[in-house]
Amino acid sequence: MNAVIINEFGPASVLTYVECPKPAISIGEVLIRTMYTSVNFADIKNRTGNKAKANFPMVLGLDVASEIEEVFDDSSKFKKDCVFAFPKNGAYAQYNLEIVWYSGPH
């Protein structure tokens, strides 16, 4: 999968486009495929070191509009539903692990 990471705090030039492993789901999780994300002022503060703790490499981003790509239990009613999420490991990634809070129509 693809992601945008930083390895140090700084200006926009520290953003790096990388290939990384696709997350593996476990019990209680779903894999979501990012369709849309945003750049918020908080993302800029995180990138420059004004808000985030240094845990590099870091994927920035707070929110995503996504589609559930994979569920742990194939019988889940949520597979392929569209969701809005706040990924704990950053939104600037092609895939994220999440727990479904809201599932809406396509």
Side-chain angles (χ1 to χ4, degrees):
M1 77 163 194
N2 301 308
V4 176
I5 65 164
I6 61 171
N7 287 304
E8 63 182 311
F9 294 124
S13 61
V14 301
L15 294 167
T16 306
Y17 187 74
V18 298
E19 292 250 348
C20 52
K22 188 174 173 181
I25 63 172
S26 59
I27 295 172
E29 295 178 323
V30 294
L31 182 71
I32 59 173
R33 180 177 52 83
T34 300
M35 298 168 75
Y36 301 97
T37 190
S38 63
V39 177
N40 298 299
F41 186 65
D43 298 324
I44 296 167
K45 288 178 78 173
N46 284 340
R47 188 195 72 230
T48 58
N50 292 329
K51 189 173 179 184
K53 295 178 182 163
N55 189 12
F56 301 116
M58 181 188 305
V59 178
L60 298 175
L62 298 175
D63 47 52
V64 294
S66 304
E67 181 177 76
I68 297 176
E69 183 82 10
E70 188 178 335
V71 294
F72 186 78
D73 177 359
D74 281 339
S75 66
S76 172
K77 64 182 179 180
F78 297 116
K79 192 167 185 180
K80 296 296 179 188
D81 277 358
C82 292
V83 295
F84 182 79
F86 299 99
K88 61 184 175 191
N89 294 321
Y92 300 170
Q94 191 174 4
Y95 293 95
N96 277 289
L97 297 176
E98 277 301 319
I99 297 172
V100 177
W101 290 94
Y102 171 76
S103 177
H106 295 283

